[in-house]
Amino acid sequence: MSDSGSGEYDAVERLSFELTLLSRHYTGATPRRAGHQLERSAFLILTRLELEHALSLRELAEAFRLDISTLNRQVAAMSKQQLVVRVPDPEGGVARKVRASAKGLELLAADRALAHEGLRTVVSEWSEADLAQLGALISRFNRDIEQREENPWPRPGAESIAEPGPRP
């Protein structure tokens, strides 16, 4: 991996490798794990709708950086499962918006609880300080990506998340 030929990873190479493994291991990111009821795309879309309540297909496509036809197919499938409903734009716009249904929010909460349970099992021996530090660093990483892409993601209780120290 390293250009140096020494066989050692530099910090960015190691981070890249570990992020690859993280995407493989993270319990909430894997569809159809035991007990989970939502497909991965539905889990992510419902998470966004839970925070922003109702979005147009175009707004969702922009948020996820996906083609609108892809989002339309995903939302149509979710609509058939009664996970989302189409509603008039609360601000009076012409385009209809997509909102999470009560059923969608219920399944999201259930799947999220399973993901949290699995995560708690993995980190059961970690200190609160270690958990807070990891959470703050991942938050910083995600926010830096969002800033570069000019695509901020809403967060629940964002004001309560402690950010790590000053940036270089």
Side-chain angles (χ1 to χ4, degrees):
M1 277 186 159
S2 175
D3 291 340
S4 69
S6 67
E8 294 182 26
Y9 297 141
D10 72 15
V12 171
E13 290 171 332
R14 180 167 194 96
L15 176 61
S16 178
F17 180 80
E18 293 300 333
L19 287 172
T20 300
L21 292 180
L22 179 64
S23 69
R24 176 181 175 264
H25 293 307
Y26 180 63
T27 55
T30 306
R32 296 295 179 206
R33 289 186 80 93
H36 287 249
Q37 300 174 70
L38 297 171
E39 294 291 335
R40 182 177 180 273
S41 62
F43 185 93
L44 293 171
I45 291 169
L46 287 168
T47 296
R48 183 68 182 237
L49 292 173
E50 178 185 41
L51 295 171
E52 292 197 287
H53 306 297
L55 295 170
S56 69
L57 287 176
R58 179 165 310 288
E59 290 168 327
L60 281 168
E62 289 172 4
F64 284 96
R65 301 283 200 238
L66 293 172
D67 185 81
I68 197 164
S69 64
T70 301
L71 242 301
N72 189 37
R73 283 191 301 276
Q74 292 172 340
V75 167
M78 293 171 67
S79 185
K80 284 181 185 175
Q81 297 169 354
Q82 300 177 332
L83 302 175
V84 295
V85 293
R86 293 184 189 260
V87 297
D89 184 345
E91 297 169 7
V94 176
R96 294 183 60 82
K97 300 236 176 178
V98 178
R99 180 177 50 81
S101 69
K103 177 183 177 182
L105 292 175
E106 181 181 313
L107 294 179
L108 176 64
D111 279 9
R112 187 178 288 140
L114 286 173
H116 291 175
E117 182 181 314
L119 191 54
R120 281 188 181 91
T121 300
V122 171
V123 298
S124 65
E125 296 181 19
W126 289 38
S127 70
E128 285 297 317
D130 285 347
L131 287 172
Q133 181 181 19
L134 179 61
L137 289 171
I138 290 174
S139 176
R140 178 180 173 187
F141 180 79
N142 284 331
R143 289 171 191 267
D144 284 351
I145 291 170
E146 293 162 15
Q147 183 179 5
R148 285 182 176 276
E149 292 183 347
E150 297 178 359
N151 189 19
W153 197 268
R155 289 169 169 76
E159 64 281 349
S160 66
I161 297 174
E163 291 294 329
R167 295 181 179 183

